[in-house]
Amino acid sequence: MLFRSLDFFTKKNGGVITYPNPTNKNFTISINTSDDIQYNIEIKDILGKTVAVKYNLRNNAKIDISKLKSGVYFVKIKMKDTEVVKKIIKS
């Protein structure tokens, strides 16, 4: 279901981009759409433990992960009925 939602979202709205990646401080979530989208994110470590949650974000939000340890993280972006998961590498 997640992949179908991602595919639908990508085709309909142009996709979700996280950059820079890898990063050591901040990353930006850019959603390619003309709609004013509000979303929440959940950041999980490689073991699936939730390490951060942010609510009511808007397009091009900068996310500070400077306090997290170096490693691989997964960012779940929740928008209305759609969820997208992006991998972020913290160096």
Side-chain angles (χ1 to χ4, degrees), residues 2-74:
L2 175 64
F3 294 109
R4 192 160 84 183
S5 296
L6 174 60
D7 186 51
F8 173 77
F9 186 79
T10 301
K11 285 180 182 175
K12 183 176 180 197
N13 297 306
V16 176
I17 301 168
T18 53
Y19 64 90
N21 193 10
T23 184
N24 62 1
K25 221 175 210 185
N26 301 304
F27 69 91
T28 300
I29 299 172
S30 178
I31 301 171
N32 187 8
T33 180
S34 59
D35 296 336
D36 184 25
I37 292 179
Q38 191 173 19
Y39 58 91
N40 304 322
I41 66 165
E42 185 177 358
I43 302 175
K44 294 185 178 245
D45 66 14
I46 196 76
L47 300 175
K49 179 182 173 190
T50 300
V51 295
V53 177
K54 305 276 184 188
Y55 298 100
N56 301 319
L57 300 172
R58 300 259 183 219
N59 201 10
N60 296 314
K62 287 193 184 238
I63 311 301
D64 180 6
I65 59 169
S66 60
K67 294 182 181 178
L68 296 179
K69 295 179 182 178
S70 296
V72 176
Y73 294 89
F74 296 95

